Amino acid sequence: MKRRWKSKRAAGAACLAVLLAGQMLLVSGCTAGMAETEDEMGTETVNAREDEQTVTSVDAEIYVERVEGITDDFICGADVSSYVAERDSGVKYYDFAGNELNEQGFFDLLAASGMNYVRVRIWNNPYDASGNSFGGGNNDLNTAVSIGQWATKAGMKVFVDFHYSDFWADPAKQQEPRAWSGLTADEKAEALETYTKESLTTLLDAGVDVGMVQVGNETNGEFCGESDWASICKLFSAGSRAIRSVSEEKGHEMQVVLHFANPETAGRYSGYAAKLDTYGVDYDVFASSYYPFWHGTTENLTSVLRQVADTYGKKVMVAETSWATTLTDGDGSANTVRKGKNDTNLAYPISVQGQALELRDVVQAVVDIGDAGIGVLYWEPAWIPTQVYEEGADNAEEILEQNQAIWEKYGSGWATSYAKEYDPEDAGKWYGGSAVDNQGLFDFTGHPLDTLRIFQYVRTGTTAKVEVMSTEVEDVTAELGAEVTLPETAVVTYTDNSSETFAVTWDAEALAEALTNGQGSYEISGTVPLDGEIYEVFCSLTIKPVNLLANADFEESDTSMWTIASDTSCVGIRKETTNTRSGSYCLHFWDDKAFSYTAEQTVTLDAGTYRAGTYLQGGDAGDDAVFQFYAVVDGETKSVDTGVSSWQNWSEAIIDEIVVEEDDTPVTIGVYVDANAGAWGAWDDFYLYHNSEVEQEIDSW
Ligand code: CA
């Protein structure tokens, strides 16, 4: 099944190809072919909703359904920690009218767009011994003071995110600051308390309206170099004490926040909250990161946060979330969400409308918790390209080199090479630019996307037209000469994420032409009626040559055609869903001692030339392991060597010229393996084609 997302707008380009799950759909002219229908439908749907609402919807380019139950004081904001480094790098930001903004203007725009909070991370000492910045926005205390002052002046509150590290802290790394290395947990707690008090005092004295303070970032069972809960909670408590004490001393209310990630893991948050309770940690807010491509559903998010809220009387929130508007990289440094990475099985389209749907759902998920659900913050919406890099363009290399120099000098990439002094294995190797330039609420050139106003829109709803966002039709694969029936229905999804199923009328002529043409991949168009108008959908049809092997993908229950010979029980046709290339079954192998086997099938072929192939994946086979794919005709064996590299990394073995001289010749196709103890893997999707059919494939391509 493929879902085709439609997109009218995306960051950095007025019109572009929408890439998803390896397919490409060019939205021509940036307008859908169904403008009239969408108009009618949109008006109708929106009117129906307006009748139910007491709040007046606003006109917008994106469709946003109002979040029922959202309170006036619901925290809406963004983490813009990279802002100062971006500005230093020459990045410009604009308002909705296209006017260039100065620093204060930028923060005023955030406030005017519906944000009431700005979050900023703080690292203790993100510089090497020579004073070179580790990058990632150079987020020391001074940077936080600057951002905090602009945010405060714009009327927003400030959420301080202490990592208690000299650089990034997340579930994979929680390294203590160099100045605290070698300290016992008690000594660290003392240092942390003093550091927190001093830093908060500096911020408040500088006029920064700090409303929330986070003790540690994504502290999933590790914090500041400590990994037992007694020590972790000792450090949390030290941070909390510091916040309470400065709060009292300054007469300035600040909430104590703890922050975790991976709500999708069953029992994780309830387990953490129980530990915090056991060790008596005094805190107000249990905050979560929520990135939908990793962190499960919004329903689950609501459920796990509600459990913490209900059980321990805590407030809960989403401290970080984001969504991509394009799979295009804007600065030459790979993005977290890109083609081939975090881009499949998505709950929302990669588009501005998709970003709106995601953010709205996250707000709804937190509001659904009730009074305890207090807010949602977007992560780094302004971390856009220092200079726009266009892959494949004439100046691409030049721009990338310039960007790299800018990131090194101004710290506006996620890490500089200098970070190797502190984090040699990750930042020290992979330093570079922004990994989230395609997840901004600004486009690549600093102009705000419509989604910058999302926190306004969730309070009112919008009257944007409801349009077709995607269509979904099952893929069809058939063998040459077989009868082909295309799916009867298509699912059409609208920009409000509602969907309907429609009967499809397929282009019979195009289908007949594909069948005549033979092997290849085809896009057959069809139509669905929408309110009397016609909307176009597509089916991916793959016609394969006739496979002369029986049960070549192991999905059928009769496996008698396969002969497996082995000295151990290392190999068999097994249901191994995570190890298959297609379907649920494969020829699976593993043993804890060295093993060898053959698996083969004999068929009777007419005179002619044939091609055979198979796919293999696996690992831990050792350097001298043998993986052979062979064909035996008249006692003569042809074989090719293949091998395993890693899980689900399939290599195809092909024998492309198997000559059969006479009719009714038995031909054996098989594999031979001789591997070390611990080797594992699977074969799947064997094939044996008559070359005349394969040649047809080459012709048609
Ligand atoms: Ca990038």
Side-chain angles (χ1 to χ4, degrees):
M1 177 96 78
K2 274 184 194 161
R3 180 175 263 208
R4 290 166 182 279
W5 298 109
K6 279 183 60 172
S7 173
K8 281 192 167 186
R9 308 185 56 175
C15 174
L16 81 170
V18 180
L19 295 164
L20 197 91
Q23 67 166 333
M24 181 161 159
L25 170 65
L26 199 61
V27 182
S28 62
C30 291
T31 47
M34 283 298 298
E36 272 179 59
T37 304
E38 286 164 9
D39 255 337
E40 282 171 27
M41 188 179 66
T43 309
E44 210 174 271
T45 311
V46 169
N47 284 346
R49 287 216 176 78
E50 269 179 349
D51 292 341
E52 296 163 11
Q53 290 175 8
T54 51
V55 176
T56 310
S57 303
V58 298
D59 266 338
E61 292 291 318
I62 47 174
Y63 178 79
V64 181
E65 192 177 347
R66 179 178 137 79
V67 173
E68 297 300 331
I70 189 168
T71 55
D72 289 344
D73 60 355
F74 192 80
I75 291 166
C76 298
D79 187 319
V80 291
S81 299
S82 64
Y83 177 75
V84 175
E86 287 279 276
R87 287 283 302 188
D88 289 347
S89 300
V91 171
K92 295 184 166 76
Y93 298 93
Y94 303 86
D95 66 14
F96 281 96
N99 303 305
E100 191 183 327
L101 298 167
N102 62 15
E103 286 92 346
Q104 192 56 54
F106 174 83
F107 286 85
D108 289 347
L109 175 67
L110 299 186
S113 300
M115 295 191 189
N116 52 27
Y117 248 95
V118 157
R119 182 169 178 254
V120 62
R121 60 178 166 270
I122 296 181
W123 293 314
N124 289 45
N125 179 24
Y127 303 95
D128 74 4
S130 314
N132 298 303
S133 173
F134 293 165
N138 317 318
N139 288 105
D140 57 11
L141 181 61
N142 288 336
T143 307
V145 168
S146 300
I147 290 174
Q149 286 175 331
W150 290 315
T152 301
K153 204 169 167 198
M156 297 182 284
K157 281 186 173 289
V158 174
F159 182 150
V160 174
D161 171 15
F162 286 115
H163 285 219
Y164 301 108
S165 184
D166 286 338
F167 207 35
W168 298 104
D170 58 39
K173 37 178 132 164
Q174 293 287 341
Q175 197 179 340
E176 73 270 7
R178 284 158 295 179
W180 301 353
S181 75
L183 299 189
T184 64
D186 283 321
E187 289 165 344
K188 267 187 204 168
E190 201 183 322
L192 189 151
E193 187 169 347
T194 304
Y195 171 79
T196 307
K197 273 187 192 166
E198 287 174 0
S199 301
L200 288 177
T201 302
T202 300
L203 284 158
L204 293 177
D205 287 351
V208 177
D209 186 5
V210 180
M212 290 196 284
V213 184
Q214 193 178 304
V215 185
N217 192 70
E218 295 189 334
T219 43
N220 278 12
E222 205 184 344
F223 178 35
C224 202
E226 301 295 327
S227 52
D228 66 283
W229 277 94
S231 300
I232 290 170
C233 289
K234 195 172 281 176
L235 295 169
F236 284 156
S237 292
S240 174
R241 267 199 310 279
I243 298 161
R244 300 284 190 228
S245 121
V246 175
S247 197
E248 193 177 321
E249 189 189 320
K250 298 282 180 184
H252 186 100
E253 195 189 327
M254 294 183 285
Q255 307 206 56
V256 178
V257 184
L258 299 177
H259 177 215
F260 305 94
N262 302 103
E264 79 283 7
T265 316
R268 181 187 292 276
Y269 283 6
S270 57
Y272 290 167
K275 291 287 186 197
L276 298 172
D277 187 57
T278 301
Y279 289 101
V281 178
D282 166 29
Y283 70 105
D284 303 306
V285 183
F286 187 105
S288 178
S289 289
Y290 180 70
Y291 297 104
F293 31 89
W294 299 321
H295 292 159
T297 63
T298 50
E299 289 79 9
N300 177 67
L301 177 70
T302 299
S303 160
V304 296
L305 289 180
R306 178 182 280 145
Q307 190 273 339
V308 173
D310 288 354
T311 310
Y312 303 101
K314 299 299 176 184
K315 293 174 210 165
V316 294
M317 71 184 303
V318 168
E320 296 182 14
T321 189
S322 67
W323 191 255
T325 57
T326 172
L327 290 178
T328 303
D329 171 37
D331 68 354
S333 185
N335 289 336
T336 307
V337 177
R338 58 182 184 268
K339 199 180 174 201
K341 184 87 176 172
N342 299 318
D343 68 338
T344 51
N345 299 318
L346 300 180
Y348 312 96
I350 300 284
S351 67
V352 176
Q353 179 64 55
Q355 194 180 46
L357 287 168
E358 191 268 345
L359 259 167
R360 191 224 162 264
D361 273 8
V362 176
V363 172
Q364 183 76 64
V366 175
V367 167
D368 281 348
I369 295 163
D371 290 344
I374 60 167
V376 172
L377 297 159
Y378 200 83
W379 197 72
E380 288 281 14
W383 205 350
I384 60 175
T386 43
Q387 289 186 102
V388 181
Y389 162 92
E390 202 182 326
E391 194 182 351
D394 289 345
N395 66 350
E397 209 167 305
E398 194 185 327
I399 293 286
L400 179 56
E401 274 176 26
Q402 288 173 9
N403 273 343
Q404 286 165 337
I406 292 169
W407 302 328
E408 283 288 281
K409 185 170 179 188
Y410 299 105
S412 45
W414 83 272
T416 65
S417 66
Y418 306 113
K420 67 176 175 289
E421 183 174 308
Y422 185 63
D423 180 15
E425 289 312 309
D426 188 16
K429 277 184 187 159
W430 307 109
Y431 58 88
S434 171
V436 293
D437 55 50
N438 61 337
Q439 299 195 52
L441 298 175
F442 292 84
D443 71 14
F444 288 167
T445 58
H447 294 270
L449 301 175
D450 295 315
T451 33
L452 183 66
R453 289 177 165 146
I454 189 73
F455 292 120
Q456 243 174 34
Y457 294 157
V458 293
R459 294 176 186 279
T460 61
T462 69
T463 55
K465 288 181 296 188
V466 175
E467 298 177 4
V468 172
M469 183 167 65
S470 69
T471 58
E472 219 168 330
V473 176
E474 300 249 9
D475 295 344
V476 175
T477 300
E479 282 194 348
L480 260 180
E483 195 180 321
V484 172
T485 311
L486 297 184
E488 288 180 10
T489 57
V491 177
V492 173
T493 303
Y494 303 103
T495 41
D496 63 354
N497 240 9
S498 66
S499 56
E500 284 180 275
T501 302
F502 292 95
V504 187
T505 307
W506 294 107
D507 182 342
E509 210 171 291
L511 176 59
E513 200 179 309
L515 295 175
T516 307
N517 199 38
Q519 199 208 334
S521 296
Y522 304 91
E523 297 281 294
I524 309 297
S525 70
T527 53
V528 296
L530 290 184
D531 287 344
E533 297 286 330
I534 299 298
Y535 191 79
E536 195 170 29
V537 297
F538 296 89
C539 176
S540 294
L541 169 65
T542 305
I543 301 178
K544 289 179 166 180
V546 175
N547 194 342
L548 300 162
L549 295 175
N551 198 10
D553 58 4
F554 309 105
E555 297 301 311
E556 287 161 34
S557 54
D558 177 9
T559 57
S560 60
M561 66 294 284
W562 289 102
T563 305
I564 299 172
S566 172
D567 45 357
T568 71
S569 60
C570 61
V571 62
I573 295 170
R574 292 170 190 151
K575 187 167 186 179
E576 273 282 340
T577 315
T578 57
N579 273 302
T580 61
R581 182 170 174 273
S582 67
S584 311
Y585 290 82
C586 57
L587 181 67
H588 183 257
F589 58 88
W590 175 80
D591 211 331
D592 58 4
K593 47 191 174 298
F595 60 91
S596 67
Y597 64 83
T598 59
E600 59 182 40
Q601 174 175 152
T602 301
V603 292
T604 305
L605 300 180
D606 287 339
T609 311
Y610 298 83
R611 166 187 300 201
T614 184
Y615 298 86
L616 171 67
Q617 62 100 17
D620 301 332
D623 291 340
D624 51 356
V626 176
F627 292 90
Q628 230 166 43
F629 176 54
Y630 60 81
V632 187
V633 187
D634 291 331
E636 269 190 47
T637 302
K638 267 194 167 185
S639 71
V640 290
D641 289 328
T642 180
V644 294
S645 51
S646 60
W647 179 66
Q648 281 293 348
N649 197 359
W650 293 90
S651 55
E652 184 180 13
I654 303 171
I655 301 172
D656 60 9
E657 195 142 297
I658 301 166
V659 180
V660 176
E661 303 284 357
E662 286 174 36
D663 286 356
D664 297 324
T665 301
V667 174
T668 300
I669 303 295
V671 292
Y672 166 70
V673 173
D674 185 17
N676 300 334
W680 56 271
W683 303 86
D684 205 357
D685 295 335
F686 283 71
Y687 60 84
L688 175 62
Y689 299 146
H690 196 287
N691 260 358
S692 65
E693 291 184 354
V694 178
E695 275 156 20
Q696 216 171 340
E697 158 200 2
I698 293 158
D699 287 342
S700 71
W701 290 353

